[in-house]
Amino acid sequence: MTIRVIIVDDQAMVRAGFAALLSAQADIDVVGEAPDGRQGVRVSRTVHPDVVLMDVRMPELDGLSAARELLDPPPGVTHRPKVLMLTTFDIDDYVYEALRAGASGFLLKDAPPADLIAAVRVVASGEALLAPSVTRRLIADFVRQRPAPRKDPALRLNGLTPRETEVLELIARGLSNQEIAAHLVLAEQTVKTHIGRVLGKLDLRDRAQAVIFAYEAGLVRPGDSA
């Protein structure tokens, strides 16, 4: 199955470079691009990509606002792509907010080419959060500095079984499915089943939101390690 991608970045050379790299992959098809968030939303709703590579800082509409529009569309719009934020460490605040809005992960703009290709595949599969240990550290920093308003997330944990709570905690600590399986001495498919139930019970879109939920619920605290 071919992964359909659009690239939204205000730098033409970045778009061209990413497009050339991704288009060279047999399983990835770049189906559009845009120089700002507003056009990015328009292109996405026209070509229906699987993954949107979204820069954070752009004119007209920034990447965070564009991600929110794509992930929380108005009535009548059913397409919701996976959104992979393109960023640098000096604007992590925006990335944190994007993850809370439902973005599937982030990629540093100076990452090696192989990381970009892998990131698109990982996000498209929905199997795992990109760079979980880095994302965990980023989220922990912002929860520590500026806790998000809670809507009784700790109470929502009561709906999970002890095993599901354990799996959620390990997700938040940055462990992959394989690592969780080894840690709990379970089959990897069993871990995937538990993760699906956790997301369903907590009404979360993906692992990115699960990590944030675990921090905001107090299940994991900044400074904890696996």
Side-chain angles (χ1 to χ4, degrees):
M1 177 178 168
T2 301
I3 303 169
R4 295 165 55 83
V5 177
I6 69 169
I7 302 166
V8 185
D9 193 294
D10 62 341
Q11 298 182 40
M13 290 185 65
V14 170
R15 297 198 307 273
F18 283 4
L21 178 65
L22 294 173
S23 295
Q25 310 307 308
D27 60 336
I28 300 176
D29 186 13
V30 177
V31 296
E33 61 178 65
D36 61 65
R38 179 63 62 202
Q39 292 188 51
V41 171
R42 187 178 306 120
V43 171
S44 179
R45 288 180 179 162
T46 300
V47 302
H48 294 176
D50 300 303
V51 177
V52 176
L53 287 179
M54 181 78 74
D55 189 20
V56 174
R57 289 182 175 175
M58 292 182 292
E60 298 297 329
L61 189 70
D62 63 57
L64 174 58
S65 299
R68 284 175 173 154
E69 288 196 18
L70 290 176
L71 296 167
D72 188 18
V77 177
T78 59
H79 178 252
R80 291 188 184 183
K82 302 289 187 180
V83 176
L84 177 60
M85 304 301 296
L86 302 172
T87 186
T88 55
F89 275 121
D90 64 337
I91 46 177
D92 282 350
D93 192 8
Y94 289 93
V95 178
Y96 172 70
E97 294 299 335
L99 290 172
R100 292 189 71 238
S104 295
F106 71 95
L107 182 71
L108 300 181
K109 295 186 76 172
D110 60 354
D115 286 3
L116 172 64
I117 297 167
V120 169
R121 289 171 176 156
V122 167
V123 168
S125 72
E127 290 285 335
L129 173 64
L130 176 64
S133 61
V134 178
T135 302
R136 175 171 53 86
R137 185 171 65 247
L138 182 156
I139 292 171
D141 287 344
F142 277 89
V143 170
R144 181 189 299 114
Q145 295 170 17
R146 191 185 58 202
R150 300 185 183 182
K151 296 182 179 178
D152 297 323
L155 293 178
R156 290 166 64 190
L157 286 173
N158 294 336
L160 301 182
T161 67
R163 177 63 85 189
E164 290 165 353
T165 301
E166 196 171 13
V167 168
L168 174 59
E169 179 180 348
L170 293 175
I171 292 173
R173 293 182 190 280
L175 274 65
S176 66
N177 288 0
Q178 186 176 13
E179 291 169 334
I180 294 173
H183 186 86
L184 298 178
V185 195
L186 296 172
E188 191 169 345
Q189 185 57 49
T190 301
V191 171
K192 292 180 180 179
T193 299
H194 283 310
I195 292 173
R197 289 172 178 166
V198 167
L199 298 180
K201 287 182 177 182
L202 298 177
D203 193 25
L204 302 173
R205 289 191 184 97
D206 52 30
R207 293 173 69 114
Q209 289 199 330
V211 173
I212 292 168
F213 178 92
Y215 274 97
E216 295 182 346
L219 183 62
V220 179
R221 291 179 172 79
D224 287 352
S225 59

